[in-house]
Structures are given as structure tokens and as C-alpha cells.
Amino acid sequence: KAGVTQTPRYLIKTRGQQVTLSCSPISGHRSVSWYQQTPGQGLQFLFEYFSETQRNKGNFPGRFSGRQFSNSRSEMNVSTLELGDSALYLCASSPILAGGRSETQYFGPGTRLLVL
Amino acid sequence: AQTVTQSQPEMSVQEAETVTLSCTYDTSESDYYLFWYKQPPSRQMILVIRQEAYKQQNATENRFSVNFQKAAKSFSLKISDSQLGDAAMYFCAYRRGSGTYKYIFGTGTRLKVLA
């Protein structure tokens, strides 16, 4: 099976612009989560989606949003970019096991965003 | 709120030797999972090992094993016969048993393997 894919892999934007990042989960995985990784704050949870519904959201401003499509692919959008949004954005997908439980997230290679 | 603490920012080990990375966590939940992930310079997060809280037996995956002390809320990773390819950032992560797939990560331990 192909792994989690994320596009684009690298992105350079300027302050005030907006950006959309894409994530395609492993085939059959219906849950997608997003994380932001920075040297200062480490790995922080952004949001998670299951069956096109946002289940949980991390402590990020409303400029950060996401969605999930019927094929489980997910996008996240950051509007009005700030310098502090420069980070590695990681997407992870999970299989949903019997009883609705899932254990393990499988991560994509990430999108490195640089805001100038 | 749940927290995960990795108190060792950096560790070094000689090739072929054994090293243990520490992780402690805090939770009031009884049903949860614990994970170790490896992040090499490529930045790809790779699952190393996972442990279900309800299982008393420590998980093992080839050269990697954990020491899970539930009462002490400790979850250390032992790497035996260290190889150059083991050099990476190692993250400890916690996940509730149900209701969310959200991980809470520790700050990571950078492991250097010396030839």
C-alpha cells in the first residue's frame, strides 16, 4: 500500500498570503489528523477529521482551518500568514478498527512552509 | 490535561551498545496507548513501537523494547545493538483509548550513534 502523501513538499509564501496543503491518507484509512512541528513549540495537534467531520481541534487561531472530502483526502488552509506559521506540517492517517477504535497514526513526509 | 515529558534532550551511544530513552506521562485515564516514533533527518515520522495500557507485557519489536511502568507512568525505550541508522529524533506519544485520535507528543530526544 502507498503511504500517506502530502503536497506540496515545500512552499514559500509571504506574510498576509494564504496557503492550502493537501493530504492523501493510506487507502482505507478514514481518519486524518494534522500537526504543526516547530523548533520552539515541538509537535502540536491542529485538528482531526473522520468521515468528513472535524472531531477535535487544537489550540490554534481561526486562521487555521481544514476539511475532509468523501474520499478521505484532507486539506488544511492557513489564511493571513504570519512569520510564526513557518513550520513543518505533518498529516497522519489512521485505520478505523472494529468498534470504532484505532491505535496508530501513520505519518506523511510533511510539507515544509516558509513564510517570508 | 494529559502531558508527556522527555527529560533527555540528547543522548549518545556507541555502535552495537544499548541505550535507554526516558519518557514519563501524566493522565487520569485508564485506557490509553503509548508510542515511540522515530524522526530521521528526512523528517518522516516512523512508528517504532506501541503499547496498550491494559497490557502488562512490555512490547518488543526486534532490537526495540519498552519498559512500561503503569503505576509510575513511565514508558522508556531500550534500543539494543545500536546501529548508525538509529540516529534520529525520538518522540514519545500518548493517545487516549477512545474518543479522539489526537496524539500528545513529548519534546523529543536526539539520539546520536557513534561509530
Side-chain angles (χ1 to χ4, degrees):
Chain A
K1 267 185 183 177
V4 178
T5 57
Q6 293 187 243
T7 56
R9 294 292 309 278
Y10 303 93
L11 207 49
I12 299 175
K13 292 284 187 180
T14 56
R15 276 184 303 174
Q17 287 187 309
Q18 76 164 14
V19 66
T20 299
L21 311 181
S22 180
C23 171
S24 292
I26 292 171
S27 178
H29 288 194
R30 291 158 53 199
S31 170
V32 173
S33 298
W34 289 88
Y35 296 84
Q36 181 196 64
Q37 186 176 22
T38 59
Q41 299 298 317
L43 282 150
Q44 293 190 285
F45 170 77
L46 278 157
F47 24 64
E48 66 177 337
Y49 288 89
F50 174 59
S51 294
E52 302 176 66
T53 302
Q54 188 179 88
R55 291 169 55 94
N56 278 293
K57 189 176 193 299
N59 189 25
F60 280 81
R63 301 185 295 107
F64 290 81
S65 63
R67 57 179 176 168
Q68 186 181 32
F69 301 95
S70 58
N71 62 357
S72 295
R73 190 177 69 86
S74 178
E75 289 180 348
M76 67 163 281
N77 184 276
V78 188
S79 62
T80 319
L81 283 165
E82 300 177 358
L83 297 179
D85 297 333
S86 294
L88 180 69
Y89 290 88
L90 292 166
C91 168
S93 72
S94 304
I96 305 301
L97 307 176
R101 293 178 69 89
S102 177
E103 301 172 1
T104 305
Q105 293 190 348
Y106 298 88
F107 285 82
T111 294
R112 186 173 292 281
L113 172 65
L114 177 61
V115 182
L116 301 175
Chain B
Q2 297 87 9
T3 58
V4 177
T5 302
Q6 293 179 251
S7 58
Q8 305 155 317
E10 191 170 291
M11 295 279 288
S12 296
V13 62
Q14 277 304 131
E15 201 175 1
E17 297 292 306
T18 296
V19 65
T20 299
L21 309 184
S22 300
C23 172
T24 58
Y25 60 95
D26 188 26
T27 184
S28 58
E29 307 273 341
S30 59
D31 180 18
Y32 53 88
Y33 300 94
L34 296 165
F35 305 84
W36 280 97
Y37 279 87
K38 168 185 175 181
Q39 188 178 43
S42 68
R43 300 302 233 165
Q44 175 83 51
M45 294 282 278
I46 302 165
L47 175 68
V48 175
I49 201 165
R50 64 171 176 251
Q51 174 81 44
E52 294 94 332
Y54 62 86
K55 287 188 178 179
Q56 299 214 348
Q57 186 174 5
N58 289 326
T60 300
E61 287 287 342
N62 301 315
R63 297 182 296 108
F64 299 88
S65 61
V66 297
N67 183 5
F68 174 46
Q69 301 289 327
K70 191 171 183 178
K73 296 180 182 174
S74 169
F75 183 62
S76 60
L77 174 69
K78 185 172 84 170
I79 306 174
S80 304
D81 186 24
S82 296
Q83 301 175 359
L84 294 177
D86 294 334
M89 281 291 286
Y90 286 80
F91 291 95
C92 178
Y94 166 98
R95 213 214 84 189
R96 285 175 59 188
S98 61
T100 177
Y101 306 119
K102 165 188 173 183
Y103 280 12
I104 297 170
F105 285 94
T107 51
T109 296
R110 181 174 301 282
L111 179 65
K112 294 183 176 181
V113 181
L114 309 174

